[in-house]
Amino acid sequence: MALAKERHYTLDDIYALPEGQRAELIDGRIYDMAPPVRIHQHLIMNLSARIHDYIRTKNGGCLVYPAPFAVFLNQDDRNYVEPDISVICDQSKLDYQGCNGAPDWIIEIISPSTQQMDYGIKLFKYRTAGVREYWIINPITRTVNVYDFQYEKNTCQYSFNDDIFVCIFPELTIQPASLLSCCG
């Protein structure tokens, strides 16, 4: 008896999704995305602003993009993600559609439905694609996992009350608790 062949999806399938439906494509497999909750959006907004302000004051060349923002991680037709926040320092990776290749820093804010993806599949995928730094922010446990893929020195778990040093911007620290004025 022959085994059923698993279908492999491509970017064409992502572009064919109904208007308003969001999904990611990892190694030819589609993962639907649920709408974010308020604290998730609040963190994205405040983190993006904090990072953007830091880069601007330092006259830096990096750009910050909150979701939804297309990242064609492996520059192929089988991998497409929309990280919550993407920081890209090599502007040659940017085109009209998004980022072609690995952003320098990715931040994902988890929800119960995304934990397995963010702590497992995406952790592996981002590391192997060449992302330099990856943060997983968990508003439920009020923890932040920082992965320093570039130097392997600062990989650690922090609480929301800690001042967290950004690996790719050593002068920048972020205390997540200070960004939660709306949501406690």
Side-chain angles (χ1 to χ4, degrees):
M1 175 189 251
L3 295 174
K5 188 174 184 180
E6 184 178 314
R7 179 168 180 208
H8 291 279
Y9 295 91
T10 67
L11 286 174
D12 291 336
D13 297 299
I14 291 292
Y15 292 131
L17 291 172
E19 184 72 29
Q21 182 178 347
R22 291 179 51 213
E24 294 180 306
L25 178 68
I26 299 176
D27 295 328
R29 188 166 178 204
I30 289 182
Y31 297 89
D32 290 324
M33 298 173 71
V37 296
R38 187 170 70 106
I39 191 170
H40 185 276
Q41 291 303 96
H42 190 77
L43 283 167
I44 288 174
M45 176 68 185
N46 287 335
L47 279 165
S48 295
R50 175 83 171 95
I51 298 163
H52 171 76
D53 289 347
Y54 171 81
I55 293 168
R56 187 175 40 78
T57 61
K58 298 295 182 183
N59 295 315
C62 301
L63 298 170
V64 182
Y65 291 96
F69 178 72
V71 174
F72 304 93
L73 205 52
N74 292 57
Q75 301 183 59
D76 60 22
D77 71 342
R78 298 184 58 219
N79 289 281
Y80 165 90
V81 292
E82 292 183 7
D84 289 319
I85 299 173
S86 300
V87 178
I88 297 106
C89 299
D90 178 357
Q91 292 186 28
S92 71
K93 292 180 180 181
L94 299 171
D95 67 13
Y96 177 76
Q97 291 185 303
C99 179
N100 294 290
D104 294 272
W105 181 16
I106 288 178
I107 299 173
E108 295 283 10
I109 300 165
I110 69 131
S111 62
S113 64
T114 66
Q115 287 188 77
Q116 184 177 8
M117 285 289 295
D118 295 334
Y119 286 113
I121 294 168
K122 285 185 176 179
L123 174 65
F124 174 78
K125 197 68 183 170
Y126 291 161
R127 180 186 188 111
T128 58
V131 172
R132 293 167 50 201
E133 182 169 356
Y134 176 41
W135 286 24
I136 303 172
I137 298 177
N138 188 330
I140 299 162
T141 62
R142 297 178 65 86
T143 57
V144 179
N145 288 62
V146 174
Y147 298 92
D148 175 5
F149 296 144
Q150 184 175 15
Y151 299 110
E152 301 290 337
K153 293 179 182 176
N154 299 312
T155 297
C156 192
Q157 185 178 69
Y158 300 90
S159 86
F160 269 33
N161 294 319
D162 291 330
D163 289 324
I164 304 170
F165 288 89
V166 176
C167 303
I168 68 166
F169 303 125
E171 297 174 9
L172 175 60
T173 61
I174 298 174
Q175 183 191 61
S178 69
L179 304 174
L180 291 175
S181 60
C182 87
C183 312

